[in-house]
């Protein structure tokens, strides 16, 4: 279980690997750009600084958001900001499909958070925290839109988890 934040919180267990890949891609881009520029005989200190700045920008863009959850809350942190919602006081959940499918969660305080549903699929502990909070929101009557969407997502996550367990145990392909 990945700890990320306050005691009792869980984090995206795949984030470190994805962040390492983003940094590796940025470093490789920097090295290749410098090497090509040097080989062409046009590498100067300002150009080297430009390649370094572009590599840092590429690394920041490629860096995945860091998702963490705890009892009653869900947070997504990017290099620029941290978004936070109370999962036990949600008002709506919507899913937007397209190039990149994402969930948009809103709570009673007006906080808004966007989340890739694949993070929930890959992290059952984060899903559990969200699901528990959603159930409380439904009990309290604050969740007006999206309960059925999360129900379908929960069934899909459960199905994928069962398939993964069966594959790991050798009972299925």
């Amino acid at each position: 279980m990945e700890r990320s934040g306050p005691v009792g919180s869980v984090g995206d267990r795949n984030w470190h690997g994805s962040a390492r890949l983003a940094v590796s891609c940025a470093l490789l881009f920097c090295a290749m750009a410098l090497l090509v520029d040097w080989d062409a005989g046009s590498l100067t200190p300002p150009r080297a600084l430009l390649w370094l700045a572009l590599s840092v920008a590429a690394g920041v863009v490629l860096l995945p958001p860091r998702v963490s959850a705890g009892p009653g809350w869900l947070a997504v942190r990017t290099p620029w900001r941290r978004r936070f919602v109370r999962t036990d006081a949600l008002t709506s959940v919507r899913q937007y499909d397209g190039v990149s499918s994402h969930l948009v969660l809103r709570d009673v305080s007006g906080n808004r958070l966007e989340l890739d549903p694949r993070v929930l699929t890959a992290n059952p502990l984060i899903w559990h925290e969200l699901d528990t909070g959603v159930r409380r929101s439904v009990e309290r009557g604050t969740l007006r839109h999206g309960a059925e969407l999360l129900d379908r997502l929960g069934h899909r996550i459960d199905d994928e988890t069962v398939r993964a367990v069966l594959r790991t145990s050798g009972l299925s392909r």
Side-chain angles (χ1 to χ4, degrees), residues 9 16 28 34 37 54 59 71 76 89 96 101 104 107 125 134 148 169 172:
S9 67
H16 289 291
L28 181 63
L34 291 172
D37 212 2
L54 287 173
V76 174
Y96 295 94
S101 176
V104 177
D107 66 12
L125 295 175
V134 166
E148 66 285 341
S169 65
S172 176

Side-chain angles (χ1 to χ4, degrees), residues 88-128:
D88 55 1
L90 290 174
T91 58
S92 71
V93 177
R94 301 194 190 282
Q95 183 168 11
Y96 295 94
D97 292 320
V99 174
S100 153
S101 176
H102 61 277
L103 295 172
V104 177
L105 292 81
R106 292 182 189 269
D107 66 12
V108 294
S109 301
N111 298 321
R112 179 179 180 272
L113 175 140
E114 290 186 23
L115 174 69
D116 186 341
R118 292 178 297 186
V119 171
L120 300 174
T121 304
N123 295 280
L125 295 175
I126 294 176
W127 166 248
H128 174 71

Side-chain angles (χ1 to χ4, degrees), residues 9-149:
S9 67
V10 293
D12 183 355
R13 61 185 177 188
N14 300 322
W15 185 84
H16 289 291
S18 298
R20 200 172 12 257
L21 179 62
V23 169
S24 299
C25 289
L27 289 173
L28 181 63
F29 173 74
C30 185
M32 295 301 293
L34 291 172
L35 185 62
V36 168
D37 212 2
W38 174 74
D39 188 48
S42 59
L43 185 62
T44 62
R47 287 178 67 98
L49 190 59
L50 172 69
W51 289 125
L52 183 62
L54 287 173
S55 298
V56 168
V60 168
V61 167
L62 292 173
L63 192 66
R66 190 167 195 167
V67 180
S68 56
W73 60 270
L74 182 68
V76 174
R77 190 172 63 203
T78 66
W80 299 277
R81 68 179 147 226
R82 183 174 188 256
R83 299 283 186 158
F84 174 90
V85 292
R86 296 288 313 173
T87 57
D88 55 1
L90 290 174
T91 58
S92 71
V93 177
R94 301 194 190 282
Q95 183 168 11
Y96 295 94
D97 292 320
V99 174
S100 153
S101 176
H102 61 277
L103 295 172
V104 177
L105 292 81
R106 292 182 189 269
D107 66 12
V108 294
S109 301
N111 298 321
R112 179 179 180 272
L113 175 140
E114 290 186 23
L115 174 69
D116 186 341
R118 292 178 297 186
V119 171
L120 300 174
T121 304
N123 295 280
L125 295 175
I126 294 176
W127 166 248
H128 174 71
E129 292 292 350
L130 176 60
D131 187 48
T132 301
V134 166
R135 291 179 195 277
R136 287 193 188 113
S137 293
V138 169
E139 287 171 4
R140 294 176 180 164
T142 61
L143 185 59
R144 296 182 203 102
H145 305 286
E148 66 285 341
L149 168 72

